């Protein structure tokens, strides 16, 4: 089933059937003011944090009604019929009601058509602002005049803190009230004083001063209002049939205790063909701020200045110019849509919001997970390396002086005096008292990619503080990260798996060993060796060589199982992922990481990838391992808690699929890399959206494997490491764009059937217009480049040889 399609030209996804298998969402705003909105205008808004800056309510996990949201009701006062500007919440029959939702980069436009009334609502957060705009145009396309009431409505939280608002009702309901101020409703929380000063029981450590929110309208007179949700909706009703709308108008009831909302009624008459515009404004701020914002739009409207339209264009311009840094045109539109727009946009959203707020994450994970964030950075380096660097510096400053990563980096992280997991205070504050084995090792590919994309080799010498004490160069941070794992090894000489490696469900402890981390360490050593050699640090080169050789030998001696690499060793000496095991005998990640790290090459690389293809692959991606755990499990293999075929228990965990694609490109299998890409390409499921369920323009965390009742159904949208690994695999692996210290390699690994494609890339201020000629029909291999008419053997373009604008022909064969 299909519910929408890509509009490649406008960089939008257009949903024409609103009864999507799940709410299909978009992200608006910035880290200062974030808003999540679905195709039916549901979702929530927050200032800085979904946990402690929550301004509107949303009920998670309620697909059956998917509410509440940013609602606009329209009532025909001639007969009392009413509907909503988005299909939800009133849900008029779809043969009478037409709707179109256009999700774009940081904006969403929802249109409706019902009984000759057309609405068009643009939802967005203007650049650098702390409020959101719902710009409504309403038009009478019929032949007779219409008398209508329009109601804008939003449900506020009663407390800035999500948890207090949701569960601490004996408290939070009694600190909120609303005032009507002519063109807006002002909600005030804690008007009588600050919780912090009063040390209120049930208050929350993030809370301080009174807090204000507003919901107003520009370009229209408010005829009536309600500030109390339960009055607007009425008892034993719901958003689909609010009492106020049904009765023909609001009752001017403010909130005082109970549940605050903003509901504004505007009465209009529309002559045939007439259109009116009004702009609803929602945000955090006191009456003065609200008045100023609303006045700005009022003035613009009365001067016929399309302020909201200009702001929307500014947003598009910002986002599109970011995306412009890489644009491709291959024979596969669905591949292009992801690389050019949606996977790229998702990478930015994941980068900005980490795992904080979505329709799955309520916001309480109020910080940056080390490994997730360092990987997220990789997804945007090719599009905005400056932004990437800022976050990379932050993450280096969240490395502890012993080399390990801080498990949770608070949004307000201040390096230099943070407690470590070794101290009880840290555990008390974060609930995290252990190290993950992989955290700081993610810095290696990320730092390398940043330096190679930007050309900023001096970064390696930049001095950055540690989280707990002291400071040192990036180079030394990296060396210390390796040391962290060398200092924590098991009996075979592999790194201990500690509290978790990449896999949150593997608890191998201080003696059990992780092969994932062993390969990561090998990879880190080889990157570090490269850095050391460029710096001329001979003893560090020898040090890295020695450890790589030692690791390599241990891998051959203990981790190679004849046809595969094992996953690890428990403290009790059990081998996880051995071919003789009854359960979980073949794991994906050690095979792909053996190849990515360079530890396995030649025949062995081919063999392990072939095993993966034959034993783990499904039409929706490769399973993390197989067979699922049923008996073996706790305390080490905690994924046994998940139903078989799900998430880390033999599910198709999507992030590793990116590594699988990349590994196949390393060994030169373009056809297979592309096959794997397609298996999890959201766009490739556009016509079978009912199977995948999630947005066809967004990667999810995991897809159900062959053991479940819903093989192919995907879960956990938007905020997932899948975004960055698949992006890296596509750009670096399939398209073969591989910046290097002093130039760039263009070495595609593509399906043989792609005879021709083109790419435009901005590389350190230079424009590369790349055309790839694969009339030879190979999967990998470049005979020569022709750069601005000059032929060069191989696939390397030196930076010095590039002009400001370059025409590059890549001839494969
Ligand atoms: O690697 C983790 C990630 O940090 C959070 N989600 C699950 C992944 C695999 O366990």
């Amino acid at each position: 089933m299909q519910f929408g399609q890509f509009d490649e030209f406008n960089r939008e996804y257009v949903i024409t059937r609103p009864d999507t298998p799940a709410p299909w969402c978009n992200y608006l705003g910035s880290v200062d003011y974030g808003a999540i909105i679905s195709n039916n205008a549901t979702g929530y808004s927050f200032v800085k944090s979904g946990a402690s800056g929550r301004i509107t309510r949303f009920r998670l996990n309620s697909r059956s009604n998917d509410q509440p949201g940013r609602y606009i009701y329209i009532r025909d006062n001639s007969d009392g019929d009413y509907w909503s500007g988005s299909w939800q919440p009133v849900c008029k029959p779809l043969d009478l009601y037409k709707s179109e939702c256009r999700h774009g980069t940081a904006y969403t436009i929802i249109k409706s058509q019902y009984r000759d009334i057309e609405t068009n609502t643009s939802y967005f957060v203007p650049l650098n602002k702390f409020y959101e705009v719902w710009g409504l145009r309403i038009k009478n396309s019929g032949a007779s005049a219409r008398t209508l009431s329009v109601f804008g409505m939003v449900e506020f939280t009663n407390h800035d803190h999500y948890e207090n608002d949701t569960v601490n009702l004996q408290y939070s309901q009694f600190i909120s009230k609303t005032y009507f101020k002519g063109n807006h409703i002002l909600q005030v929380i804690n008007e009588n004083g600050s919780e912090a000063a009063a040390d209120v029981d049930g208050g929350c450590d993030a809370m301080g001063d009174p807090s204000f929110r507003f919901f107003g309208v520009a370009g229209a007179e408010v005829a009536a209002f309600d500030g109390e949700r339960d009055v607007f909706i009425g008892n034993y009703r719901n958003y689909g049939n609010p009492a106020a709308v049904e009765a023909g108008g609001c009752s001017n009831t403010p909130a005082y205790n109970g549940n605050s909302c903003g509901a504004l009624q505007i009465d209009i008459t529309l002559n045939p063909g007439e259109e009116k515009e009004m702009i609803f404004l929602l945000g955090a701020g006191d009456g003065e701020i609200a008045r100023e914002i609303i006045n700005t739009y009022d003035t613009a409207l009365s001067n016929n200045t399309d302020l909201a339209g200009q702001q929307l264009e500014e947003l598009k311009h910002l986002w599109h110019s970011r995306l412009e840094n890489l644009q491709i045109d291959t024979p596969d539109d669905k591949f292009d849509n992801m690389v050019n727009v949606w996977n790229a946009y998702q990478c930015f959203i994941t980068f900005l919001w980490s795992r904080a707020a979505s329709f799955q994450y309520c916001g309480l994970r109020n910080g940056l997970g080390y490994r997730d964030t360092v990987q997220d950075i990789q997804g945007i380096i090719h599009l905005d390396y400056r932004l990437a660097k800022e976050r990379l510096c932050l993450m280096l400053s969240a490395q502890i002086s012993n080399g390990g990563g801080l498990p949770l980096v608070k949004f307000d992280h201040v390096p230099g005096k943070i407690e470590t997991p070794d101290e009880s205070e840290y555990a008390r504050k974060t609930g995290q008292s252990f190290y993950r084995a992989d955290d700081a090792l993610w810095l290696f590919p990320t730092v390398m990619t940043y330096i190679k994309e930007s050309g900023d080799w001096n970064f390696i010498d930049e001095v950055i503080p540690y989280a707990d004490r002291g400071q040192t160069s990036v180079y030394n941070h990296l060396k210390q990260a390796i040391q962290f794992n060398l200092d924590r090894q098991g009996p075979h000489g592999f790194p201990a798996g500690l509290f978790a490696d990449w896999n949150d469900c593997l608890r191998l402890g201080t003696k059990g060993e992780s092969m994932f981390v062993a390969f990561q360490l090998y990879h880190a050593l080889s990157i570090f060796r490269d850095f050391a050699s460029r710096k001329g640090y001979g003893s560090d080169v020898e040090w890295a060589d020695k450890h790589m050789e030692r690791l390599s030998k241990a891998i051959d001696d203990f981790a190679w199982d004849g046809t595969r690499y094992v996953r690890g060793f428990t403290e009790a000496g059990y081998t996880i992922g051995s071919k003789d095991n009854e359960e979980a005998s073949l794991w994906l990640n050690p095979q792909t990481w053996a190849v990515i790290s360079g530890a396995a090459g030649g025949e062995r690389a081919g063999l392990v990838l072939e095993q993966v293809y034959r034993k783990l692959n499904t039409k929706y991606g490769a399973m993390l391992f197989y067979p699922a755990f049923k008996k073996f499990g706790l305390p080490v293999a905690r994924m046994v808690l998940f139903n078989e075929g799900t998430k880390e228990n033999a599910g198709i965990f999507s992030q590793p699929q990116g590594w699988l694609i990349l590994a196949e490109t390393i060994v030169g299998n373009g056809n297979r890399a592309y096959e794997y890409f397609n298996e999890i390409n959201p766009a490739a499921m556009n016509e079978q959206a009912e199977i995948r369920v999630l947005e066809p323009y967004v990667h999810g965390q995991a897809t159900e494997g062959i053991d479940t009742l819903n093989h192919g159904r995907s879960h956990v949208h938007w905020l997932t490491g899948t975004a960055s690994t698949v992006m890296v695999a596509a750009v670096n692996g399939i398209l073969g764009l591989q910046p290097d210290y002093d130039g760039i390699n263009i070495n595609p690994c593509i399906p043989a059937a792609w005879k021709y494609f083109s790419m435009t890339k901005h590389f350190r201020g230079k424009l590369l217009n790349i055309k790839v000629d694969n009339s030879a029909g190979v999967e990998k291999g470049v005979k020569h480049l022709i750069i601005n008419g000059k032929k060069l053997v191989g696939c390397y373009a030196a930076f010095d040889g590039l002009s400001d604008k370059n025409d590059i022909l890549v001839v494969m064969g």
Side-chain angles (χ1 to χ4, degrees):
M1 255 184 266
Q2 184 173 345
F3 298 81
Q5 62 279 331
F6 291 89
D7 176 345
E8 207 174 336
F9 180 77
N10 287 306
R11 296 177 171 147
E12 292 171 339
Y13 186 81
V14 189
I15 299 160
T16 41
R17 242 190 96 164
D19 55 339
T20 46
W24 286 357
C25 294
N26 197 11
Y27 277 76
L28 316 177
S30 67
V31 288
D32 290 325
Y33 185 102
I36 306 173
I37 184 165
S38 79
N39 53 312
N40 280 308
T42 62
Y44 58 94
S45 305
F46 46 96
V47 175
K48 292 190 192 299
S49 158
S52 52
R54 184 66 85 85
I55 65 172
T56 69
R57 285 190 177 148
F58 177 70
R59 184 168 168 214
L60 292 174
N61 196 17
S62 61
R63 193 170 294 170
S64 48
N65 58 6
D66 177 29
Q67 292 169 353
R70 301 169 179 84
Y71 292 142
I72 291 174
Y73 299 91
I74 301 108
R75 180 179 194 275
D76 188 327
N77 290 328
S78 67
D79 59 5
D81 190 14
Y82 62 90
W83 60 101
S84 39
S86 45
W87 180 58
Q88 282 265 10
V90 179
C91 297
K92 284 292 185 190
L94 287 173
D95 52 340
L96 303 175
Y97 180 97
K98 296 284 160 262
S99 110
E100 180 186 275
C101 166
R102 290 184 165 261
H103 283 318
T105 46
Y107 65 90
T108 287
I109 297 172
I110 301 181
K111 298 180 188 173
S112 75
Q113 262 183 43
Y114 178 73
R115 289 183 55 195
D116 292 335
I117 298 296
E118 297 173 14
T119 66
N120 177 324
T121 316
S122 305
Y123 294 94
F124 64 93
V125 177
L127 272 183
N128 307 318
K129 303 291 186 204
F130 285 80
Y131 60 87
E132 64 193 69
V133 168
W134 315 353
L136 170 71
R137 288 176 201 273
I138 179 162
K139 184 176 175 184
N140 176 2
S141 53
S144 51
R146 304 283 287 274
T147 312
L148 307 170
S149 290
V150 175
F151 302 79
M153 195 271 174
V154 68
E155 181 173 340
F156 292 122
T157 55
N158 277 336
H159 197 287
D160 288 344
H161 198 271
Y162 166 75
E163 208 169 11
N164 261 334
D165 177 58
T166 312
V167 298
N168 195 8
L169 302 185
Q170 59 79 27
Y171 171 72
S172 57
Q173 288 202 314
F174 310 110
I175 56 170
S176 168
K177 57 175 90 145
T178 64
Y179 294 97
F180 178 61
K181 300 281 185 179
N183 58 5
H184 66 278
I185 284 182
L186 184 71
Q187 183 205 18
V188 190
I189 298 171
N190 281 329
E191 190 178 36
N192 301 342
S194 92
E195 289 176 27
D199 194 18
V200 171
D201 181 25
C204 135
D205 54 7
M207 292 304 106
D209 296 330
S211 125
F212 302 87
R213 292 84 170 269
F214 62 87
F215 181 63
V217 66
E221 291 283 312
V222 176
F225 74 92
D226 278 319
E228 170 56 54
R229 179 200 67 181
D230 299 337
V231 170
F232 181 78
I233 302 284
N235 281 353
Y236 308 107
R237 289 173 167 269
N238 57 58
Y239 286 92
N241 61 357
V245 177
E246 213 160 274
C250 295
S251 56
N252 297 331
T253 311
Y256 190 96
N257 306 331
N259 293 286
S260 301
C261 78
L264 299 174
Q265 176 189 337
I266 295 106
D267 294 335
I268 56 172
T269 301
L270 285 177
N271 291 317
E274 189 183 357
E275 180 176 84
K276 282 202 158 78
E277 180 176 7
M278 61 192 82
I279 296 174
F280 292 99
L281 295 146
L282 165 67
D286 61 20
E288 208 174 308
I289 292 171
R291 234 182 345 266
E292 204 179 299
I293 292 168
I294 298 164
N295 285 348
T296 309
Y297 288 88
D298 258 333
T299 312
L301 284 169
S302 51
N303 291 340
N304 281 326
T305 307
D306 186 9
L307 174 62
Q310 287 164 8
Q311 290 178 324
L312 187 56
E313 283 311 309
E314 265 172 30
L315 263 184
K316 284 188 195 170
H317 178 73
L318 171 83
W319 277 104
H320 291 184
S321 61
R322 279 182 177 149
L323 304 182
E324 281 302 327
N325 285 322
L326 176 67
Q327 288 293 299
I328 62 166
D329 186 5
T330 75
D332 180 353
D333 282 353
K334 291 181 170 166
F335 182 88
D336 297 353
N337 267 319
M338 294 312 288
V339 174
N340 289 341
V341 185
W342 286 101
N343 192 180
Y345 187 60
Q346 186 181 359
C347 282
F348 276 109
I349 296 303
T350 307
F351 171 88
L352 293 170
W353 289 111
S354 186
R355 308 297 176 268
S358 70
F359 274 23
Q360 265 81 39
Y361 292 108
C362 70
L364 284 178
R365 198 170 177 207
N366 215 355
L368 305 167
Y370 203 93
R371 83 161 73 94
D372 294 339
T373 304
V374 180
Q375 291 174 85
D376 293 343
I377 296 170
Q378 290 180 34
I380 66 149
I381 292 177
H382 66 295
L383 297 173
D384 193 339
Y385 61 76
R386 290 183 183 87
L387 193 61
K389 180 181 178 183
E390 275 173 36
R391 187 52 71 80
L392 185 51
C393 290
L394 176 81
M395 296 314 287
L396 281 156
S397 82
Q399 186 188 14
I400 297 161
S401 55
N402 67 11
L406 211 55
L408 187 79
V409 186
K410 301 288 252 177
F411 286 132
D412 54 3
H413 173 74
V414 181
K417 32 181 174 295
I418 306 277
E419 295 95 1
T420 71
D422 298 322
E423 292 154 80
S424 54
E425 191 55 11
Y426 183 82
R428 191 187 66 76
K429 284 189 191 151
T430 64
Q432 317 265 342
S433 56
F434 302 97
Y435 290 98
R436 274 86 173 149
D438 61 322
D439 276 348
L441 292 177
W442 294 108
L443 291 168
F444 291 82
T446 308
V447 168
M448 181 186 71
T449 309
Y450 164 70
I451 290 176
K452 289 183 172 178
E453 182 73 45
S454 63
D456 180 12
W457 170 244
N458 292 336
F459 181 60
I460 204 79
D461 293 323
E462 273 184 36
V463 173
I464 294 180
Y466 281 118
D468 53 338
R469 60 191 156 86
Q471 57 177 26
T472 190
S473 64
V474 170
Y475 181 88
N476 285 330
H477 272 268
L478 295 176
K479 189 165 182 193
Q480 194 62 359
I482 291 174
Q483 196 59 50
F484 177 86
N485 294 92
L486 294 178
D487 289 344
R488 291 163 180 79
Q489 300 210 346
H492 302 97
F494 297 128
L498 307 181
F499 189 69
D501 58 16
W502 167 85
N503 193 320
D504 276 336
C505 301
L506 262 190
R507 198 152 296 173
L508 290 159
T510 52
K511 295 280 176 295
E513 295 160 297
S514 159
M515 287 316 297
F516 186 98
V517 182
F519 289 122
Q520 245 196 323
L521 180 60
Y522 188 89
H523 190 43
L525 282 161
S526 87
I527 292 171
F528 180 75
R529 185 197 185 283
D530 203 21
F531 290 155
S533 140
R534 280 179 67 82
K535 287 209 65 78
Y537 294 165
S539 60
D540 279 353
V541 172
E542 278 172 36
W543 177 78
D545 279 341
K546 183 185 84 188
H547 285 294
M548 283 170 78
E549 277 159 32
R550 187 189 55 74
L551 254 184
S552 196
K553 180 161 178 352
I555 290 168
D556 275 354
D557 290 350
F558 308 116
W560 177 246
D561 200 18
T563 53
R564 71 203 62 192
Y565 291 102
V566 303
R567 182 61 173 84
F569 305 89
T570 70
E571 295 196 342
Y574 175 76
T575 304
I576 301 175
S578 159
K579 65 178 180 317
D580 302 322
N581 292 357
E582 204 182 309
E583 299 175 342
S585 54
L586 176 66
W587 289 61
L588 175 59
N589 288 340
Q591 322 314 325
T592 54
W593 269 83
V595 177
I596 292 169
S597 65
E603 239 174 71
R604 230 182 236 192
L607 179 62
V608 296
L609 292 179
E610 191 54 31
Q611 291 285 325
V612 166
Y613 188 68
R614 284 201 276 116
K615 301 196 168 131
L616 296 181
N617 195 33
T618 77
K619 59 181 170 172
Y620 303 119
M623 295 176 290
L624 198 55
F625 59 77
Y626 204 75
F629 281 120
K630 287 185 196 157
K631 298 185 207 140
F632 181 83
L634 301 173
V636 176
R638 299 165 62 84
M639 61 283 279
V640 73
L641 298 173
F642 290 132
N643 296 330
E644 294 93 307
T646 308
K647 284 176 65 104
E648 282 98 334
N649 193 11
I652 299 162
F653 218 91
S654 310
Q655 188 185 9
Q657 187 92 357
W659 298 324
L660 179 55
I661 299 165
L662 187 64
E664 289 289 1
T665 64
I666 290 170
V667 301
N669 290 334
N671 286 337
R672 198 159 278 176
Y674 180 61
E675 184 179 344
Y676 284 136
F677 183 94
N678 277 335
E679 285 169 0
I680 63 151
N681 183 359
M685 291 295 284
N686 194 42
E687 285 86 53
Q688 291 166 284
E690 77 286 3
I691 297 176
R692 185 171 181 272
V693 175
L694 291 193
E695 296 93 335
Y697 46 93
V698 169
H699 282 289
Q701 183 203 58
T703 299
E704 294 185 34
I706 56 174
D707 289 343
T708 81
L709 302 178
N710 292 289
H711 180 38
R713 181 168 62 174
S714 297
H715 298 272
V716 189
H717 67 171
W718 282 95
L719 304 184
T720 158
T722 315
S724 67
T725 61
V726 176
M727 184 53 114
V728 169
V731 174
N732 184 285
I734 296 178
L735 299 169
L737 293 168
Q738 298 158 9
D740 207 342
Y741 299 105
D742 302 313
I744 182 167
N745 288 293
I746 308 173
N747 191 13
C749 183
I750 53 174
W754 285 9
K755 298 291 186 264
Y756 179 84
F757 70 98
S758 62
M759 309 185 262
T760 311
K761 176 175 169 63
H762 289 261
F763 181 50
R764 302 180 198 165
K766 299 192 188 290
L767 179 65
L768 314 184
N769 284 318
I770 304 167
K771 299 195 186 322
V772 180
D773 172 359
N774 184 30
S775 36
V778 299
E779 294 176 60
K780 193 169 185 178
V782 170
K783 283 205 288 205
H784 58 262
L785 305 179
I786 300 177
I787 304 181
N788 301 325
K790 201 169 144 204
K791 187 169 171 180
L792 292 174
V793 175
C795 64
Y796 181 68
F799 189 72
D800 284 349
L802 295 174
S803 310
D804 287 347
K805 278 187 176 177
N806 303 275
D807 289 322
I808 303 180
L809 180 67
V810 180
V811 181
M812 296 181 69

